[in-house]
Amino acid sequence: MAGKFITFEGGEGSGKSTQIRLLGDFLQTCNITVSLTKEPGGTPLGQELRRILVEGDIEKMDAKSEALLFFADRRIHLTQKVWPSLEQNQWVLSDRFADSTMAYQYYAYHQRLSKEDIKMLYGFSVGTFAPDLTFILDIDPKIGLERSFQKATTMSVKELRNEQRELAFHENLRKGYLEIARENSNRCVVLDAHQTVDSLHEQIVSVVKKRFEL
Ligand code: TMP
């Protein structure tokens, strides 16, 4: 495929959406056509799944059903948006992708599913396709959750299903992301999300320029 697929990962309130927007603006100045998207909910159908997944009671479904819904959203996202955009030479920047499932549904959830379960679902729904580059925005969950609740109050957002979980969940999540980065060191770059928006953006741009020779 002609375009590049760059994913952004991290805990709640790590600033992914702001950084995606800024990187999108930068790439446009390089005459690259960019598509900004997210999981869950990067397509109209996915939006319906997103509502089920991010709103409501924490324990409203078991771990396997939840993982299947995340992969259903992902497969719809890939077939209806990501792959067609890449084929048209666009660069796709996605707010979350499959590392989120490994981080949330395996590491943070006290390993209710096995790594093999998640890898099997990946193979079934994604195949051998993978991001060209993944940024993991690392943040202390106490700070990230504070930001996330603040945003939810100002914007009247109801999507707080995961935010309500205990701090240990978010601490496991953070450790999980760092483990994923270690296991996939060619693809993943961990950046400190406690710094200012501008300095984080500069670091992201410098990695992208070097990686893709812009
Ligand atoms: P967002 O708030 O970053 O848009 O993500 C929605 C929530 O869904 C967030 O709490 C992370 C969670 N999530 C998973 O648990 N597994 C997944 O595979 C994905 C994509 C998101």
Side-chain angles (χ1 to χ4, degrees), residues 68-98:
L68 285 167
L69 287 178
F70 276 117
F71 272 105
D73 168 74
R74 184 158 301 132
R75 170 96 196 154
I76 294 168
H77 187 213
L78 287 169
T79 54
Q80 298 188 2
K81 191 164 182 184
V82 177
W83 289 336
S85 304
L86 291 173
E87 270 157 18
Q88 286 166 24
N89 215 12
Q90 295 178 15
W91 286 35
V92 180
L93 311 185
S94 185
D95 187 337
R96 300 193 181 283
F97 186 62

Short mmCIF file of all heavy atoms in Angstrom, two decimals, residues 68-98:
data_model
loop_
_atom_site.label_atom_id
_atom_site.label_comp_id
_atom_site.label_asym_id
_atom_site.label_seq_id
_atom_site.Cartn_x
_atom_site.Cartn_y
_atom_site.Cartn_z
N LEU A 68 -14.11 -9.08 21.24
CA LEU A 68 -14.69 -9.31 19.91
C LEU A 68 -15.27 -8.03 19.32
O LEU A 68 -15.12 -7.76 18.13
CB LEU A 68 -15.79 -10.39 20.00
CG LEU A 68 -15.30 -11.82 20.16
CD1 LEU A 68 -16.45 -12.74 20.55
CD2 LEU A 68 -14.65 -12.32 18.87
N LEU A 69 -15.91 -7.24 20.16
CA LEU A 69 -16.49 -5.98 19.66
C LEU A 69 -15.39 -5.00 19.24
O LEU A 69 -15.52 -4.31 18.23
CB LEU A 69 -17.41 -5.34 20.71
CG LEU A 69 -18.75 -6.04 20.92
CD1 LEU A 69 -19.55 -5.34 22.01
CD2 LEU A 69 -19.56 -6.07 19.63
N PHE A 70 -14.29 -4.94 20.02
CA PHE A 70 -13.19 -4.05 19.61
C PHE A 70 -12.61 -4.51 18.27
O PHE A 70 -12.31 -3.70 17.40
CB PHE A 70 -12.10 -3.99 20.68
CG PHE A 70 -12.39 -2.98 21.77
CD1 PHE A 70 -12.57 -3.38 23.09
CD2 PHE A 70 -12.49 -1.62 21.48
CE1 PHE A 70 -12.84 -2.46 24.10
CE2 PHE A 70 -12.77 -0.69 22.47
CZ PHE A 70 -12.94 -1.10 23.78
N PHE A 71 -12.49 -5.85 18.09
CA PHE A 71 -11.95 -6.31 16.81
C PHE A 71 -12.96 -6.18 15.67
O PHE A 71 -12.56 -5.97 14.52
CB PHE A 71 -11.40 -7.74 16.92
CG PHE A 71 -9.96 -7.75 17.35
CD1 PHE A 71 -9.59 -8.09 18.64
CD2 PHE A 71 -8.96 -7.37 16.46
CE1 PHE A 71 -8.25 -8.08 19.04
CE2 PHE A 71 -7.62 -7.35 16.84
CZ PHE A 71 -7.27 -7.71 18.13
N ALA A 72 -14.24 -6.25 15.97
CA ALA A 72 -15.25 -6.01 14.92
C ALA A 72 -15.14 -4.56 14.45
O ALA A 72 -15.12 -4.27 13.25
CB ALA A 72 -16.65 -6.31 15.46
N ASP A 73 -15.05 -3.64 15.43
CA ASP A 73 -14.89 -2.22 15.08
C ASP A 73 -13.62 -2.04 14.23
O ASP A 73 -13.62 -1.31 13.23
CB ASP A 73 -14.79 -1.40 16.36
CG ASP A 73 -14.33 0.02 16.07
OD1 ASP A 73 -15.15 0.79 15.55
OD2 ASP A 73 -13.14 0.34 16.31
N ARG A 74 -12.55 -2.74 14.63
CA ARG A 74 -11.26 -2.60 13.93
C ARG A 74 -11.35 -3.10 12.50
O ARG A 74 -10.86 -2.47 11.57
CB ARG A 74 -10.21 -3.39 14.73
CG ARG A 74 -8.80 -3.29 14.21
CD ARG A 74 -7.81 -3.61 15.33
NE ARG A 74 -8.01 -2.68 16.42
CZ ARG A 74 -8.11 -3.04 17.72
NH1 ARG A 74 -7.99 -4.30 18.08
NH2 ARG A 74 -8.32 -2.12 18.64
N ARG A 75 -11.99 -4.24 12.31
CA ARG A 75 -12.09 -4.82 10.97
C ARG A 75 -12.94 -3.91 10.05
O ARG A 75 -12.61 -3.70 8.89
CB ARG A 75 -12.70 -6.23 11.09
CG ARG A 75 -13.08 -6.87 9.81
CD ARG A 75 -12.01 -7.80 9.30
NE ARG A 75 -12.26 -8.10 7.91
CZ ARG A 75 -11.34 -8.43 7.04
NH1 ARG A 75 -10.08 -8.55 7.40
NH2 ARG A 75 -11.63 -8.69 5.80
N ILE A 76 -14.01 -3.37 10.61
CA ILE A 76 -14.85 -2.45 9.83
C ILE A 76 -14.03 -1.20 9.48
O ILE A 76 -14.03 -0.71 8.34
CB ILE A 76 -16.11 -2.06 10.63
CG1 ILE A 76 -17.01 -3.28 10.83
CG2 ILE A 76 -16.88 -0.93 9.94
CD1 ILE A 76 -18.13 -3.07 11.86
N HIS A 77 -13.27 -0.73 10.45
CA HIS A 77 -12.43 0.45 10.26
C HIS A 77 -11.38 0.21 9.16
O HIS A 77 -11.18 1.05 8.27
CB HIS A 77 -11.73 0.74 11.62
CG HIS A 77 -10.95 2.00 11.67
ND1 HIS A 77 -9.81 2.14 12.41
CD2 HIS A 77 -11.15 3.21 11.08
CE1 HIS A 77 -9.33 3.36 12.27
NE2 HIS A 77 -10.13 4.03 11.48
N LEU A 78 -10.74 -0.96 9.20
CA LEU A 78 -9.71 -1.26 8.20
C LEU A 78 -10.31 -1.37 6.81
O LEU A 78 -9.80 -0.78 5.86
CB LEU A 78 -9.00 -2.58 8.56
CG LEU A 78 -8.04 -2.51 9.76
CD1 LEU A 78 -7.61 -3.92 10.18
CD2 LEU A 78 -6.81 -1.66 9.44
N THR A 79 -11.41 -2.15 6.71
CA THR A 79 -11.94 -2.42 5.37
C THR A 79 -12.64 -1.20 4.77
O THR A 79 -12.60 -0.99 3.57
CB THR A 79 -12.92 -3.61 5.38
OG1 THR A 79 -13.92 -3.35 6.36
CG2 THR A 79 -12.23 -4.91 5.72
N GLN A 80 -13.28 -0.39 5.63
CA GLN A 80 -14.07 0.73 5.08
C GLN A 80 -13.30 2.04 5.04
O GLN A 80 -13.68 2.94 4.32
CB GLN A 80 -15.36 0.91 5.90
CG GLN A 80 -16.25 -0.33 5.84
CD GLN A 80 -17.61 -0.14 6.47
OE1 GLN A 80 -17.94 0.95 6.96
NE2 GLN A 80 -18.41 -1.18 6.49
N LYS A 81 -12.24 2.16 5.82
CA LYS A 81 -11.56 3.45 5.86
C LYS A 81 -10.04 3.37 5.71
O LYS A 81 -9.47 4.00 4.82
CB LYS A 81 -11.91 4.15 7.18
CG LYS A 81 -11.49 5.60 7.24
CD LYS A 81 -12.20 6.29 8.36
CE LYS A 81 -11.87 7.74 8.45
NZ LYS A 81 -12.54 8.31 9.64
N VAL A 82 -9.38 2.59 6.59
CA VAL A 82 -7.91 2.64 6.61
C VAL A 82 -7.31 2.11 5.31
O VAL A 82 -6.52 2.82 4.65
CB VAL A 82 -7.36 1.84 7.82
CG1 VAL A 82 -5.84 1.81 7.82
CG2 VAL A 82 -7.89 2.43 9.13
N TRP A 83 -7.68 0.90 4.92
CA TRP A 83 -7.07 0.33 3.72
C TRP A 83 -7.42 1.13 2.46
O TRP A 83 -6.51 1.43 1.66
CB TRP A 83 -7.44 -1.16 3.59
CG TRP A 83 -6.75 -2.02 4.62
CD1 TRP A 83 -5.58 -1.71 5.26
CD2 TRP A 83 -7.16 -3.29 5.13
NE1 TRP A 83 -5.25 -2.72 6.14
CE2 TRP A 83 -6.19 -3.72 6.08
CE3 TRP A 83 -8.24 -4.13 4.87
CZ2 TRP A 83 -6.28 -4.92 6.78
CZ3 TRP A 83 -8.33 -5.35 5.57
CH2 TRP A 83 -7.35 -5.73 6.50
N PRO A 84 -8.69 1.53 2.25
CA PRO A 84 -8.96 2.35 1.06
C PRO A 84 -8.16 3.66 1.06
O PRO A 84 -7.65 4.09 0.02
CB PRO A 84 -10.47 2.64 1.15
CG PRO A 84 -11.02 1.53 1.99
CD PRO A 84 -9.93 1.16 2.95
N SER A 85 -7.99 4.29 2.23
CA SER A 85 -7.22 5.55 2.28
C SER A 85 -5.76 5.30 1.93
O SER A 85 -5.15 6.06 1.18
CB SER A 85 -7.29 6.18 3.67
OG SER A 85 -8.63 6.39 4.05
N LEU A 86 -5.18 4.23 2.48
CA LEU A 86 -3.77 3.93 2.20
C LEU A 86 -3.58 3.63 0.71
O LEU A 86 -2.59 4.05 0.10
CB LEU A 86 -3.29 2.73 3.03
CG LEU A 86 -3.19 2.97 4.55
CD1 LEU A 86 -2.88 1.67 5.28
CD2 LEU A 86 -2.14 4.02 4.89
N GLU A 87 -4.55 2.93 0.13
CA GLU A 87 -4.44 2.62 -1.30
C GLU A 87 -4.48 3.88 -2.16
O GLU A 87 -3.91 3.93 -3.24
CB GLU A 87 -5.55 1.65 -1.72
CG GLU A 87 -5.10 0.21 -1.56
CD GLU A 87 -6.24 -0.78 -1.42
OE1 GLU A 87 -7.39 -0.43 -1.77
OE2 GLU A 87 -5.98 -1.90 -0.93
N GLN A 88 -5.16 4.91 -1.63
CA GLN A 88 -5.20 6.18 -2.37
C GLN A 88 -4.02 7.07 -2.02
O GLN A 88 -4.08 8.29 -2.19
CB GLN A 88 -6.49 6.93 -2.06
CG GLN A 88 -7.71 6.34 -2.72
CD GLN A 88 -8.99 6.90 -2.11
OE1 GLN A 88 -8.99 7.98 -1.53
NE2 GLN A 88 -10.06 6.15 -2.21
N ASN A 89 -2.99 6.47 -1.43
CA ASN A 89 -1.76 7.20 -1.14
C ASN A 89 -1.86 8.17 0.04
O ASN A 89 -1.00 9.03 0.21
CB ASN A 89 -1.37 7.97 -2.42
CG ASN A 89 0.11 8.03 -2.58
OD1 ASN A 89 0.83 7.32 -1.88
ND2 ASN A 89 0.57 8.87 -3.49
N GLN A 90 -2.93 8.05 0.81
CA GLN A 90 -3.05 8.94 1.97
C GLN A 90 -2.29 8.37 3.15
O GLN A 90 -2.11 7.16 3.25
CB GLN A 90 -4.51 9.07 2.37
CG GLN A 90 -5.35 9.75 1.32
CD GLN A 90 -6.81 9.83 1.74
OE1 GLN A 90 -7.15 9.64 2.89
NE2 GLN A 90 -7.66 10.14 0.78
N TRP A 91 -1.89 9.25 4.06
CA TRP A 91 -1.32 8.81 5.32
C TRP A 91 -2.45 8.79 6.34
O TRP A 91 -3.21 9.76 6.46
CB TRP A 91 -0.21 9.76 5.79
CG TRP A 91 1.05 9.63 5.00
CD1 TRP A 91 1.16 9.37 3.66
CD2 TRP A 91 2.38 9.78 5.50
NE1 TRP A 91 2.48 9.34 3.30
CE2 TRP A 91 3.26 9.60 4.41
CE3 TRP A 91 2.93 10.05 6.76
CZ2 TRP A 91 4.64 9.68 4.55
CZ3 TRP A 91 4.30 10.14 6.88
CH2 TRP A 91 5.15 9.95 5.79
N VAL A 92 -2.56 7.70 7.05
CA VAL A 92 -3.65 7.56 8.02
C VAL A 92 -3.07 7.65 9.43
O VAL A 92 -2.16 6.91 9.79
CB VAL A 92 -4.37 6.21 7.81
CG1 VAL A 92 -5.50 6.05 8.83
CG2 VAL A 92 -4.92 6.10 6.39
N LEU A 93 -3.61 8.60 10.21
CA LEU A 93 -3.19 8.76 11.61
C LEU A 93 -4.34 8.30 12.48
O LEU A 93 -5.43 8.88 12.43
CB LEU A 93 -2.87 10.22 11.94
CG LEU A 93 -1.95 10.98 10.98
CD1 LEU A 93 -1.67 12.38 11.54
CD2 LEU A 93 -0.65 10.23 10.75
N SER A 94 -4.13 7.25 13.26
CA SER A 94 -5.24 6.72 14.04
C SER A 94 -5.01 6.87 15.55
O SER A 94 -3.95 6.51 16.07
CB SER A 94 -5.46 5.24 13.70
OG SER A 94 -6.61 4.76 14.38
N ASP A 95 -6.03 7.41 16.19
CA ASP A 95 -6.05 7.53 17.65
C ASP A 95 -6.46 6.14 18.17
O ASP A 95 -7.64 5.81 18.17
CB ASP A 95 -7.10 8.60 18.01
CG ASP A 95 -7.12 8.96 19.47
OD1 ASP A 95 -6.67 8.13 20.29
OD2 ASP A 95 -7.59 10.06 19.80
N ARG A 96 -5.48 5.34 18.51
CA ARG A 96 -5.59 3.95 18.96
C ARG A 96 -5.71 2.96 17.80
O ARG A 96 -6.29 3.27 16.76
CB ARG A 96 -6.79 3.71 19.90
CG ARG A 96 -6.75 4.54 21.16
CD ARG A 96 -7.77 4.02 22.18
NE ARG A 96 -7.75 4.82 23.39
CZ ARG A 96 -6.82 4.73 24.33
NH1 ARG A 96 -5.86 3.87 24.20
NH2 ARG A 96 -6.86 5.50 25.40
N PHE A 97 -5.16 1.77 18.07
CA PHE A 97 -5.31 0.61 17.17
C PHE A 97 -5.12 -0.63 18.05
O PHE A 97 -5.41 -0.57 19.26
CB PHE A 97 -4.28 0.71 16.01
CG PHE A 97 -4.43 -0.34 14.94
CD1 PHE A 97 -5.59 -0.43 14.20
CD2 PHE A 97 -3.41 -1.26 14.70
CE1 PHE A 97 -5.74 -1.41 13.23
CE2 PHE A 97 -3.55 -2.24 13.73
CZ PHE A 97 -4.71 -2.32 13.00
N ALA A 98 -4.62 -1.71 17.50
CA ALA A 98 -4.64 -2.99 18.24
C ALA A 98 -3.79 -3.02 19.51
O ALA A 98 -4.06 -3.84 20.39
CB ALA A 98 -4.21 -4.10 17.29
#
